[in-house]
Amino acid sequence: GKLVAEHMIRELDAVKIAEITSIYFPPQVIITDGGVVRLCNNEIYRYSGEKGSFLFLIGDFQSTSNEGHYLLSQVYADIARELGVQRIYTIGGYGVGHFIETPRVIAAVNREELIQPVTDAGGIFGDGEPGGGIIGAAGLMLGLGARLGIEGICLMGETSGYLVDPKSAALVLEVLTRLLDITIDPSNLNERAGEMEVAVQRLLEQEKKSEEELSYIG
């Protein structure tokens, strides 16, 4: 999810308008490339232009506690309402624990009338997927947003969960841009996806080799 948001921020040249810090983030600081530290935070970026008006929320961490998840998600939803947001999109990964040749984009919505447009854009509604529901801000912002009259759509790209997955991110971007009716150049994500495919293939070959060696020993 963060890959998609950061890619869109870069492509749209969105501007940072806010930083959010919280005692519910992990008790640590981030060390920048230059060796200077900063507090963990979440950031809000804004784009207003020919493609529409969008706010992007990205960050270092989510809350470390259940209470913090609710409090921070409520703050995010309140900010969205105050700034006139009509629809919230939350995006993330859906880890399945194994490598996937053709990942899907699993979807969830907070209003029944949103199911058809999401389906038309390529999202899939799986019975009981993800099992256990959507944990954290990605789910809570949809539920809390509904109370504020804001539509909500969650898009989750299937991924192994072992590695950062640009291929899955590119598919989520594809579905999201269809819903937004905008065009975002996916070249950088696709390039990274190709590089990751090579890395994954090497891992699979090493795994297969190890299994064959164990089988021979047995």
Side-chain angles (χ1 to χ4, degrees):
K2 192 175 181 182
L3 278 180
V4 174
E6 289 177 339
H7 180 75
M8 293 182 71
I9 287 170
R10 285 193 300 269
E11 291 295 317
L12 294 171
D13 199 21
V15 178
K16 183 165 70 173
I17 62 170
E19 291 185 1
I20 300 168
T21 59
S22 171
I23 61 172
Y24 295 105
F25 293 151
Q28 66 185 74
V29 293
I30 304 297
I31 302 177
T32 66
D33 291 339
V36 180
V37 303
R38 64 171 178 79
L39 288 172
C40 303
N41 66 29
N42 283 184
E43 299 174 337
I44 299 176
Y45 288 77
R46 178 168 58 195
Y47 167 81
S48 294
E50 296 178 357
K51 297 178 183 292
S53 296
F54 310 112
L55 294 174
F56 298 91
L57 171 67
I58 61 171
D60 299 313
F61 298 101
Q62 291 203 48
S63 169
T64 56
S65 71
N66 293 337
E67 178 184 26
H69 274 300
Y70 272 94
L71 291 173
L72 286 168
S73 296
Q74 186 65 65
V75 167
Y76 302 148
D78 288 341
I79 290 173
R81 179 180 61 176
E82 290 174 13
L83 295 179
V85 171
Q86 298 178 343
R87 180 181 291 176
I88 293 173
Y89 293 90
T90 62
I91 49 182
Y94 174 30
V96 295
H98 57 84
F99 292 111
I100 305 167
E101 187 68 30
T102 307
R104 301 173 297 167
V105 176
I106 307 298
V109 297
N110 67 1
R111 292 184 183 179
E112 190 173 345
E113 58 266 28
L114 295 173
I115 293 176
Q116 192 58 54
V118 173
T119 301
D120 292 342
I124 294 173
F125 292 87
D127 292 336
E129 289 187 288
I134 306 169
I135 298 172
L140 287 175
M141 286 183 67
L142 266 62
L144 296 171
R147 291 184 174 183
L148 299 175
I150 304 174
E151 296 179 348
I153 296 172
C154 179
L155 301 175
M156 297 162 281
E158 275 189 319
T159 180
S160 66
Y162 302 145
L163 303 164
V164 174
D165 195 339
K167 180 178 181 180
S168 180
L171 290 173
V172 171
L173 177 66
E174 186 177 320
V175 174
L176 178 58
T177 51
R178 284 176 188 157
L179 284 164
L180 295 173
D181 192 25
I182 64 173
T183 301
I184 298 288
D185 185 358
S187 300
N188 290 338
L189 276 179
N190 290 335
E191 184 178 337
R192 292 185 63 184
E195 294 170 354
M196 191 61 69
E197 283 286 320
V198 174
V200 169
Q201 189 59 42
R202 288 174 180 167
L203 286 174
L204 291 174
E205 289 173 357
Q206 291 174 1
E207 186 179 90
K208 183 179 179 181
K209 183 178 180 180
S210 297
E211 290 175 353
E212 289 174 349
E213 289 175 350
L214 288 173
S215 176
Y216 175 76
I217 293 172

